[in-house]
């Protein structure tokens, strides 16, 4: 696996509200990399919001768009890719990302995630009656997939800036000896 990897990018995975966007932007700034977000790419390609895609076309259609978006990133260089929270559940997406990116997972507990997302409205999976329970259930189901990342970083014990520094450090370690 290691030898077939040409690491030129960083992919940030992790649950909604773990700080992928903020950390990704900071990392991109520090490394002078481009910043891309898979949700934003999907919205630009379809002209629809994520909420509209879930509502009108369904989650399966959204997941197919995610996979297509990941495949299209295969030739990127010097890019920080922020991945939608459910993207790593499709094993093909992780295999694809690992070919060209150091995959870093940002982690937080369900309580911390709830604290961070409760005032936001753009995530269709949390629009149901009991979003706190939904977070606990989804996080438990997704944990084994998130743990397939190259690096796992707990975002609760560090500021966003410290998390970004850690990501940069891990990327430099990984690419220094190549
Ligand atoms: C999702 C996370 C969202 C977005 C969509 C589904 C998920 O991205 O892709 O609402 O399944 O966890 P963020 O993690 O950037 O919020």
């Amino acid at each position: 696996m290691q030898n077939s990897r040409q690491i030129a990018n960083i992919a940030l995975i992790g649950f909604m509200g773990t700080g992928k966007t903020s950390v990704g932007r900071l990392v991109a700034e520090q490394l002078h990399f481009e910043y891309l977000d898979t949700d934003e790419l999907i919205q630009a390609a379809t002209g629809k919001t994520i909420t509209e895609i879930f509502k009108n076309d369904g989650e399966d259609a959204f997941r197919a768009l995610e996979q297509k978006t990941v495949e299209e990133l295969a030739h990127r260089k010097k890019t920080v890719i922020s991945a939608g929270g459910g993207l790593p559940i499709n094993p093909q997406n992780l295999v694809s990302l690992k070919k060209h990116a150091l995959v870093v997972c940002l982690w937080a507990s369900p309580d911390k995630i709830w604290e961070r997302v409760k005032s936001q409205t753009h995530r269709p999976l949390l629009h149901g009656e009991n979003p706190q329970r939904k977070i606990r259930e989804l996080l438990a189901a997704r944990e084994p997939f998130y743990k397939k990342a190259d690096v796992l970083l707990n975002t609760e014990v560090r500021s966003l800036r410290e998390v970004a520094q850690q990501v940069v450090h891990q990327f430099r370690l990984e690419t220094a000896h190549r």
Side-chain angles (χ1 to χ4, degrees), residues 10 12 20-35 79-81 106 160-161 163-169 171-172:
I10 295 171
L12 295 179
K20 289 168 292 180
T21 304
S22 314
V23 169
R25 288 191 188 283
L26 285 170
V27 171
E29 204 178 287
Q30 281 187 41
L31 290 174
H32 304 287
F33 278 21
E34 192 175 342
Y35 173 80
T79 304
V80 178
I81 301 157
L106 305 188
L160 290 173
R161 205 157 274 283
V163 175
Q165 268 162 11
Q166 270 300 316
V167 176
V168 170
H169 177 67
F171 181 76
R172 290 195 169 133

Side-chain angles (χ1 to χ4, degrees), residues 14-17 20-21 37-39 50 54 59 62-63 66 82-87 122-125 138 142 146:
F15 205 79
M16 303 172 251
K20 289 168 292 180
T21 304
D37 176 305
T38 57
D39 284 346
I50 302 300
F54 267 75
E59 182 170 350
F62 173 74
R63 299 299 172 200
E66 265 187 334
S82 173
L87 184 149
H122 64 281
R123 296 185 173 99
L125 288 176
L138 275 179
R142 291 176 175 182
Y146 290 145

Side-chain angles (χ1 to χ4, degrees), residues 127-174:
H127 289 171
E129 259 179 27
N130 192 339
Q132 275 178 285
R133 191 175 68 200
K134 185 78 179 178
I135 290 170
R136 278 196 303 275
E137 287 171 359
L138 275 179
L139 190 60
R142 291 176 175 182
E143 185 170 346
F145 299 95
Y146 290 145
K147 291 201 164 157
K148 290 186 178 144
D150 298 306
V151 179
L152 195 60
L153 285 179
N154 186 345
T155 64
E156 289 191 31
V157 293
R158 301 175 172 95
S159 68
L160 290 173
R161 205 157 274 283
E162 284 166 340
V163 175
Q165 268 162 11
Q166 270 300 316
V167 176
V168 170
H169 177 67
Q170 293 291 337
F171 181 76
R172 290 195 169 133
L173 275 183
E174 181 63 35

